[in-house]
Amino acid sequence: MGKPVVRIRDLRKSFGTLEVLKGVDMDVQKGEVVVILGPSGSGKSTMLRCVNRLEEPTSGEIWFEDTLVNDAKTNINQVREHVGMVFQSFNLFPHLTAKGNVMLAQRKVLHRSRTEAERVAEEQLRKVGLGDRMDYFPAQLSGGQQQRVAIARALAMDPHVMLFDEVTSALDPELVRGVLDVMKDLARGGMTMLVVTHEMGFARDVATRAVFMDGGVIVEQGAPADVFDKPQNERTQDFLGHIR
Amino acid sequence: MRHLTRALIRRGLLGAAAAVLFLVAAAPAFALTNPDVTINQQVGGESTRFTFTATTDKDAPVSALTLRFPEGFDIRKAYANVVTLQGLKRTTVKASTSVRGQDFQLAFDPAIGPGSELRVMVYSVMTPNVGGTYALGVKYESGGQQRSAEGADLTFSYVTASRSVKLSRYVDQQPWVAKWNSVTALNLFLKPQLIVTSAPLMFTGWLMSLALVGVGFPLAIIGGLMLAFMKMSKIPPLRWIAAAYVNVIRGTPLFLQIFVAFIGLPIAGVHAPWFVTGFVVLALNSSAYLAEIFRAGIQSIHKGQLEAALSLGMTYPQAMQHVIVPQTVKRVLPTMTSEFILLFKDTALLSAVGVFELMMYGSNIVARSGNLTPFVVAAVYYLLVTTPLINWVGKLEARLALAEHGQGAPEPKRRSLWDLLATRRALTRPAIEAEE
């Protein structure tokens, strides 16, 4: 195996006196699709947000390729350029159209020309199936469409890894599929992905590895089929028993 | 006050005051061979009084006097009052008068003794509409001889009536105006003559109010933004300074701040033109309110917006500039506009320290005329600015709702500012949150 894209070592994070992450270690290789499962409060979202330092780790190390992410000397903006993130609440910029959302960071961060940014935006929006919605404002789109715009927005930056933070949790059931299909295409295309989700079907189909977290630590990990069908840990068994 | 008095005189509103000034300036008696004439009205086209003074010849009594008024003067209704002055003694002279063409003829019985100081006052002379310098022709009968006043200073000047004065006279002659003014409330608040004369004068004050707020408000926006970012700064002293400033300014009356600036600063040795002091104090005051509006606006943006921008590699300033502030501007525009309206109305407070803005003109004319119409005129001038702004805010809000909530958003009905302020809170919630 080559050098991991993301390497996490003894990651700890406390909010005040509450310790949410109690020492997490994880390597993510290029092309891996890692699905992170666990009950709410297990620290999975916090871990994901530490990767691009939306949360400041309390201690431990997070490496992105050759960069120590949580080093004061690191230009975090350069890391974030290459780490795409999609949020549960979409967070599209409401004052910009779908195309405008996808173009903004290309223009301001990558300094692409307007024509180039526009070309990339149109290409990415077509890929997520929104070729006919480019000039719509977020409020004129359904939740599923908004989330696909958010994915296109992240992909337009040519990220080396994508972070998905419960991206289907806020969607009506009938809209979930469109978003998952986009993610599946992305996974099959070889994108390195860290996915926090409750979608077991997606995890089974696409994930190369399933990680089960509870109480701020990784309890169990392995091939999805193994983790789902033959869970070793009692807490994993309990959790899977509940959501099935 | 002096400025205004001058302005009023120029426009002929203060005929009485002008007359006083003029009579004070009038020369004392001259010999009849060197007589003088004054006019107690500066504005043409009005019924007026002439004062003719002279000293009679030493050789013979004067039995008759003819004053020839220039063409254009109407003396058909004129009448006269004649006195002689001997030392401090003032004697009324019996005089029979007659009008023949432009000649106003006086016959004295008994004749006026030699060497008397004569004063003839001719009332109800209508001057022509066109002002200018005119000469009075004077002839008199003395010792059976016809004589002319020689080397005389018999010229006088007055100005053409201003358009508003003419309009006021025209209005004055309309039959409905008398009926209108017979209703006390209408006369007191909506006197037509005063509307036409005060409106052009107060226009100057209106422009001054607009200029004060027009310069002050943009400065307040800059100051308000600075204070807002200081209040959200990570550096505690910046936060403290901004918070203290905002609290002091918002916690004290603007009236007090105006007095400190206009009375305190000169005492402290700072002498700025009153216009500068005026817009600076308005800007300093409004920036504190705008700071709170901006800060609340920025903080009302869902924190996911900042996270999304940062996760794309944008710097904090970039995220502010391209993501947060554009959304904030749309959201705070209605509140900002109502702050502008408040500030515009507050320019009236500057009248208390002698700034010649709209309210100052209004209260001065009210004080002069004893009629409240100028206040109504001032109200109209204020509404001329505030009403379109309130309507504009309504339309803006509708557009904003459409952009943020989709094309299906219902067309808003006509809305008052109150409704806007109430619905603003609902609008500031992002569409995303509503779906969650």
Side-chain angles (χ1 to χ4, degrees), chain B residues 65-340:
Chain B
L65 176 69
T66 301
L67 301 175
R68 169 164 287 181
F69 285 87
E71 285 299 325
F73 283 72
D74 184 356
I75 54 168
R76 281 172 296 178
K77 287 181 188 162
Y79 61 96
N81 197 350
V82 184
V83 293
T84 56
L85 301 166
Q86 282 169 322
L88 290 172
K89 201 180 164 217
R90 184 188 172 103
T91 315
T92 304
V93 177
K94 268 192 180 172
S96 56
T97 63
S98 58
V99 174
R100 183 166 292 173
Q102 292 302 106
D103 285 346
F104 187 75
Q105 298 173 330
L106 301 105
F108 307 119
D109 184 27
I112 296 164
S116 301
E117 284 186 22
L118 171 68
R119 177 167 294 174
V120 180
M121 282 152 291
V122 187
Y123 298 92
S124 287
V125 176
M126 283 296 285
T127 53
N129 280 322
V130 183
T133 301
Y134 293 87
L136 194 69
V138 180
K139 283 183 175 166
Y140 63 101
E141 210 177 292
S142 184
Q145 286 180 290
Q146 281 287 337
R147 297 183 185 181
S148 296
E150 295 161 18
D153 181 15
L154 290 170
T155 59
F156 52 89
S157 303
Y158 61 87
V159 296
T160 306
S162 70
R163 210 180 308 159
S164 67
V165 169
K166 280 184 192 157
L167 193 58
S168 174
R169 282 182 198 147
Y170 171 80
V171 168
D172 219 7
Q173 288 159 6
Q174 303 311 305
W176 65 268
V177 170
K179 259 187 223 158
W180 177 279
N181 284 337
S182 68
V183 181
T184 311
L186 291 178
N187 176 53
L188 199 55
F189 291 103
L190 292 165
K191 189 176 182 178
Q193 292 97 320
L194 255 178
I195 291 175
V196 298
T197 47
S198 65
L201 258 178
M202 292 171 72
F203 181 74
T204 320
W206 185 62
L207 290 183
M208 179 54 68
S209 291
L210 279 175
L212 281 163
V213 80
V215 178
F217 197 69
L219 288 177
I221 291 175
I222 296 168
L225 270 176
M226 273 167 52
L227 286 166
F229 281 109
M230 278 170 78
K231 273 199 105 174
M232 294 184 293
S233 165
K234 283 179 186 155
I235 305 161
L238 286 182
R239 282 205 306 270
W240 298 334
I241 292 167
Y245 179 84
V246 169
N247 285 347
V248 168
I249 295 291
R250 299 209 315 167
T252 56
L254 173 58
F255 205 50
L256 181 145
Q257 294 156 18
I258 287 171
F259 270 69
V260 168
F262 276 84
I263 298 167
L265 287 184
I267 294 172
V270 181
H271 296 279
W274 56 261
F275 179 74
V276 175
T277 316
F279 74 68
V280 166
V281 74
L282 289 178
L284 288 177
N285 176 271
S286 195
S287 64
Y289 288 91
L290 286 175
E292 284 300 284
I293 291 171
F294 293 152
R295 188 191 54 76
I298 288 168
Q299 291 181 344
S300 78
I301 308 288
H302 194 271
K303 82 175 192 331
Q305 291 290 313
L306 181 63
E307 289 185 349
L310 293 179
S311 78
L312 289 163
M314 294 170 83
T315 62
Y316 183 82
Q318 279 178 331
M320 278 292 151
Q321 187 190 339
H322 300 293
V323 177
I324 307 299
V325 172
Q327 295 182 54
T328 308
V329 169
K330 280 187 180 175
R331 278 182 203 180
V332 301
L333 216 44
T335 3
M336 246 175 87
T337 310
S338 49
E339 171 61 23
F340 177 88

Side-chain angles (χ1 to χ4, degrees), chain A residues 203-241:
Chain A
R204 261 178 209 283
D205 280 6
V206 183
T208 55
R209 182 164 31 134
V211 173
F212 180 76
M213 282 182 77
D214 193 17
V217 292
I218 293 176
V219 174
E220 187 171 354
Q221 58 178 314
D226 294 344
V227 173
F228 293 153
D229 299 334
K230 295 171 277 182
Q232 305 298 306
N233 189 287
E234 199 182 310
R235 283 185 281 180
T236 319
Q237 290 164 4
D238 189 43
F239 176 73
L240 291 171

Side-chain angles (χ1 to χ4, degrees), chain B residues 36-58:
Chain B
D36 186 30
V37 59
T38 58
I39 177 172
N40 78 337
Q41 183 57 268
Q42 268 202 316
V43 184
E46 282 185 355
S47 176
T48 203
R49 179 185 74 178
F50 280 81
T51 306
F52 172 79
T53 54
T55 307
T56 53
D57 296 345
K58 296 217 168 63

